[in-house]
């Protein structure tokens, strides 16, 4: 079930059964994607416990969701991105950012940013906020400059595709080796990998093991020769939080599954859908208006007695109920109907303004007409919510919140998907990521991949499936060659066999050119690359970074 989210403090008032969206209009001023843009995102996932039910006793019952939006913004300022809007649900808050997305669960945070953002620069502040405002296990001292205390993560994952324009990156992101050094200075025992061909499409991953430990501060000079300290005692060397007893929460960890599709060289005709002028023309078409009205009726038909609503913020951060803004239908993105057209305008706007201006309204139009809304349709997921934004002159971002039912002893939760598009021909790129378990969809992974790539028709794309295993397999790293022969004996079975199924080898219209499997500490990683049939045969991929 999705709750009210009031920008500034989403632990505030709520109306049960009324999904709400918060839009931050001032953050959209001066957004521009005219120049060459780095589409491939940096992706950081920080877990502070194995599951929401396993938060430490010191933590707020809401965990990270107790943190206000203003505090997260102090971290996002260091990353160099801004909040455009927020969809809040009972179990997760989905932030749509000026450069990609952030998802906040009680026990973990996922931050995905593109362009020249400095994502890792916000990590120390993230750990400080988790300790100070969410009450998560804190380590002192931290050895992090300017940070008074830091929450100790349970696990940390950082990944990205090779950059197209590495020379434009800033901070610790100028190279993979710099990023690894940055993370190694923060965490003890992390592991770094490059997956794929060095002279082809490849993907980087940094991962820590369970019960991650923070790197301690440098030992003061006067203390280095203090013989009373034992150099071999781990407690003198490492600062970490309490050991987490997994118990029943172990089952939640083992259900963790993330699918990521990273696409380059988009078909020019498909990429046109993500330009402002094209979307404006589509929105003015009567057929599109009928589609939007039909979709709105479907939302109301599957609702809980009230239509979806939003809280719109026009003048700074909204904090008090006394100044509560109007609530309106969020299907039309915080706006009111103009002459029954199905395309809507806000206060002081005409219908012409609405369909020629970047923002959430045209974002909804594109989401419907390109086929994104059909990936997880309302007919199957009636409480799902898509928050989409179309940029000027081009570019598109969307977050989807997919409530999931309770299963067995596990509580109900919310899953997500997120899409980001850079359509310019010289740097075209699109990404799709979701943690919706494949067993919940009634659709195979291959069918989902086909639905997504049909929207964009990329020349090349890669698929990474990152999934928790039972933990009972032999730990380590195993690489499988292109023919699928594993060096381990006996041969894999069950889940591993399913991942290597022939169906993923036969994505319609594409040929699989690479497949690699890693057995990591508690996770299985499957990486595949594809190329469109007949697409620029023999031409090497645009690497940028090697």
């Amino acid at each position: 079930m999705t709750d009210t989210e009031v920008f500034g403090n989403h632990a505030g008032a709520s109306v049960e059964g009324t999904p709400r969206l918060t839009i931050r209009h001032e953050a959209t001023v001066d957004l521009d994607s005219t120049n060459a843009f780095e589409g491939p995102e940096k992706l950081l996932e920080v877990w502070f416990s194995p599951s929401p039910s396993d938060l430490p006793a010191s933590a707020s019952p809401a965990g990270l969701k107790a943190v206000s939006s203003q505090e997260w913004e102090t971290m996002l300022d260091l990353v160099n991105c801004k909040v455009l809007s927020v969809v809040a649900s009972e179990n997760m808050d989905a932030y749509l950012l000026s450069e990609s997305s952030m998802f906040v669960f009680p026990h973990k945070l996922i931050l995905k940013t593109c362009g020249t953002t400095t994502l890792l620069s916000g990590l120390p502040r993230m750990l400080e906020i988790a300790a100070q405002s969410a009450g998560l296990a804190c380590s002192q001292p931290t050895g992090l400059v300017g940070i008074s205390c830091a929450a100790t993560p349970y696990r940390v994952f950082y990944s990205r595709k090779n950059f197209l324009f590495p020379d434009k990156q800033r901070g610790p992101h100028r190279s993979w080796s710099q990023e690894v050094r940055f993370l190694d200075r923060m965490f003890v025992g992390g592991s770094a990998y490059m997956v794929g061909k060095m002279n082809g499409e490849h993907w980087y991953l940094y991962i820590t093991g369970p019960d991650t430990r923070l790197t301690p501060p440098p030992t003061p000079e006067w203390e280095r020769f203090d013989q009373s300290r034992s150099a071999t005692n781990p407690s003198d060397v490492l600062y970490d939080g309490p050991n987490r007893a997994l118990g029943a929460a172990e089952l939640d960890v083992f259900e963790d599954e993330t699918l990521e599709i990273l696409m380059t060289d988009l078909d020019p005709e498909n990429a046109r859908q993500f330009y402002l002028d094209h979307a404006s023309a589509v929105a003015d078409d009567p057929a599109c208006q009928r589609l939007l009205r039909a979709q709105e009726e479907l939302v109301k038909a599957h609702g809980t007695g009230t239509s979806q609503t939003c809280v719109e913020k026009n003048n700074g951060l909204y904090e008090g109920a006394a100044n509560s803004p109007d609530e309106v239908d969020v299907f039309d993105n915080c706006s009111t109907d103009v002459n029954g057209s199905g395309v809507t305008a806000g206060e002081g706007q005409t219908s012409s303004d609405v369909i020629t201006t970047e923002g959430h309204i045209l974002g909804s139009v594109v989401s419907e007409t390109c086929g994104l809304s059909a990936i997880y349709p309302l007919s199957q997921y009636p409480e799902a919510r898509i928050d989409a934004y179309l940029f000027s002159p081009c570019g598109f971002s969307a977050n989807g919140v997919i409530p999931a039912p309770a299963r067995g002893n596990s509580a109900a939760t919310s899953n997500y998907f997120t899409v980001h598009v850079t359509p310019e021909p010289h740097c075209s790129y699109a990404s799709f990521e979701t943690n919706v378990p494949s067993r919940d969809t009634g659709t195979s992974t291959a069918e989902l991949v086909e639905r997504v790539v049909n929207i964009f028709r990329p020349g090349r794309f890669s698929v990474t499936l990152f999934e928790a295993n039972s933990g009972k397999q032999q730990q380590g790293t195993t690489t499988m060659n292109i023919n699928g022969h594993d060096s381990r004996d006996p041969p894999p079975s069950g889940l591993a066999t399913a991942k290597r199924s022939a169906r993923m080898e036969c994505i319609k219209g594409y040929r699989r050119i690479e497949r690699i499997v890693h057995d990591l500490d508690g996770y299985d990683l499957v990486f595949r690359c594809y190329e469109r049939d007949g697409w620029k045969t023999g031409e090497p991929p645009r690497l940028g970074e090697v």
Side-chain angles (χ1 to χ4, degrees):
M1 183 175 296
T2 311
D3 279 334
T4 303
E5 196 279 336
V6 177
F7 199 89
N9 185 359
H10 39 88
S14 65
V15 179
E16 186 174 356
T18 308
R20 295 190 181 183
L21 164 73
T22 301
I23 296 179
R24 185 182 183 188
H25 290 284
E26 67 273 17
T28 67
V29 177
D30 297 327
L31 290 179
D32 191 356
S33 60
T34 302
N35 299 318
F37 194 78
E38 183 68 69
E41 301 97 342
K42 313 164 184 84
L43 175 59
L44 176 67
E45 186 165 336
V46 182
W47 291 54
F48 293 94
S49 70
S51 75
S53 61
D54 199 44
L55 289 168
S58 62
S60 162
L64 295 172
K65 277 176 54 64
V67 178
S68 70
S69 295
Q70 296 105 314
E71 285 191 271
W72 289 132
E73 284 194 308
T74 66
M75 181 267 291
L76 293 173
D77 286 342
L78 301 173
V79 177
N80 292 295
C81 60
K82 297 184 180 298
V83 176
L84 301 181
S85 52
V86 186
V87 173
S89 72
E90 185 176 349
N91 307 292
M92 178 188 72
D93 296 331
Y95 288 71
L96 195 64
L97 307 178
S98 54
E99 284 82 12
S100 300
S101 302
M102 180 172 74
F103 301 93
V104 180
F105 297 79
H107 66 302
K108 66 181 179 180
L109 185 146
I110 300 169
L111 180 57
K112 186 170 192 172
T113 66
C114 57
T116 57
T117 52
T118 51
L119 185 151
L120 291 178
S121 296
L123 179 54
R125 176 60 179 148
M126 180 193 299
L127 301 183
E128 183 179 46
I129 290 172
Q132 293 179 339
S133 300
L136 295 169
C138 180
S139 296
Q140 291 180 317
T142 65
L144 302 175
V145 177
I147 301 299
S148 59
C149 67
T152 304
Y154 171 68
R155 297 201 75 159
V156 176
F157 307 86
Y158 175 72
S159 64
R160 65 172 177 84
K161 183 188 180 297
N162 53 294
F163 289 134
L164 298 177
F165 306 101
D167 56 310
K168 296 182 180 295
Q169 293 299 317
R170 298 178 294 170
H173 299 287
R174 293 183 174 89
S175 70
W176 176 241
S177 60
Q178 285 192 10
E179 291 169 316
V180 172
R181 283 196 297 270
F182 182 96
L183 291 164
D184 278 345
R185 284 197 296 267
M186 291 193 64
F187 307 114
V188 173
S191 301
Y193 303 90
M194 188 190 82
V195 184
K197 299 177 181 177
M198 181 176 290
N199 61 345
E201 298 284 350
H202 53 274
W203 187 75
Y204 298 105
L205 171 68
Y206 185 97
I207 181 172
T208 68
D211 288 314
T212 299
R213 296 178 176 185
L214 297 176
T215 300
T219 303
E221 188 70 27
W222 63 269
E223 220 176 68
R224 291 182 182 176
F225 303 103
D226 185 348
Q227 299 301 314
S228 64
R229 293 173 60 88
S230 171
T232 61
N233 186 344
S235 65
D236 287 338
V237 180
L238 304 173
Y239 294 88
D240 63 337
N243 291 329
R244 281 79 165 181
L246 294 183
E250 196 171 33
L251 296 175
D252 297 328
V253 177
F254 296 154
E255 293 178 352
D256 184 35
E257 175 184 328
T258 302
L259 174 73
E260 193 173 26
I261 307 171
L262 307 179
M263 299 162 277
T264 58
D265 302 289
L266 310 184
D267 182 271
E269 188 63 28
N270 291 58
R272 285 184 62 231
Q273 302 173 94
F274 305 98
Y275 279 79
L276 182 66
D277 56 355
H278 182 272
S280 297
V282 170
D284 200 32
D285 185 89
C288 176
Q289 295 170 11
R290 289 194 296 272
L291 173 64
L292 295 178
R293 285 197 295 271
Q295 185 74 349
E296 181 179 7
E297 290 303 316
L298 185 60
V299 169
K300 293 177 180 178
H302 285 284
T304 56
T306 58
S307 66
Q308 291 182 313
T309 60
C310 78
V311 178
E312 182 174 359
K313 182 183 64 62
N314 291 303
N315 300 306
L317 298 180
Y318 165 65
E319 295 181 349
N323 298 315
S324 176
D326 294 335
E327 296 177 3
V328 293
D329 193 325
V330 294
F331 180 81
D332 291 320
N333 291 289
C334 299
S335 51
T336 52
D337 196 17
V338 177
N339 301 323
S341 66
V343 177
T344 58
E347 184 177 354
Q349 288 184 307
T350 66
S351 57
S352 177
D353 293 333
V354 166
I355 63 173
T356 58
T357 304
E358 72 166 82
H360 290 81
I361 294 175
L362 283 183
S364 287
V365 170
V366 173
S367 179
E368 289 296 323
T369 57
C370 78
L372 177 62
S373 295
I375 300 294
Y376 298 106
L378 279 172
S379 58
Q380 186 175 353
Y381 303 94
E383 293 189 0
R385 175 73 178 94
I386 297 178
D387 177 20
Y389 192 98
L390 184 69
F391 295 87
S392 175
C394 61
F396 175 83
S397 288
N399 287 339
V401 177
I402 314 292
R407 281 191 305 272
N409 295 327
S410 299
T413 186
S414 292
N415 296 312
Y416 70 88
F417 74 85
T418 184
V419 175
H420 303 283
V421 186
T422 302
E424 296 95 323
H426 61 289
C427 58
S428 64
Y429 172 85
S431 68
F432 174 91
E433 178 189 339
T434 184
N435 73 337
V436 178
S438 55
R439 67 174 179 278
D440 290 352
T441 65
T443 301
S444 71
T445 300
E447 289 173 318
L448 177 59
V449 170
E450 288 175 346
R451 290 181 185 179
V452 172
V453 299
N454 284 341
I455 295 174
F456 304 99
R457 292 195 74 240
R460 291 185 171 99
F461 71 93
S462 64
V463 176
T464 57
L465 178 61
F466 202 61
E467 190 169 7
N469 61 38
S470 65
K472 297 177 182 178
Q473 302 174 14
Q474 179 181 352
Q475 294 184 350
T477 300
T478 300
T479 301
M480 185 177 69
N481 64 26
I482 195 168
N483 295 317
H485 298 303
D486 194 320
S487 61
R488 292 190 303 178
D489 185 32
S493 61
L495 180 63
T497 300
K499 291 175 185 174
R500 302 169 193 181
S501 68
R503 185 64 182 88
M504 277 299 290
E505 301 297 295
C506 303
I507 301 300
K508 294 177 183 177
Y510 290 84
R511 65 185 184 94
R512 196 266 300 152
I513 59 176
E514 187 168 23
R515 177 183 57 202
I516 298 173
V517 174
H518 282 284
D519 178 11
L520 302 172
D521 186 4
Y523 280 84
D524 294 320
L525 167 66
V526 184
F527 174 84
R528 291 180 174 93
C529 287
Y530 300 81
E531 187 173 284
R532 197 166 73 220
D533 291 342
W535 182 81
K536 297 183 179 180
T537 303
E539 182 173 316
R542 292 184 292 111
L543 294 180
E545 179 183 16
V546 294

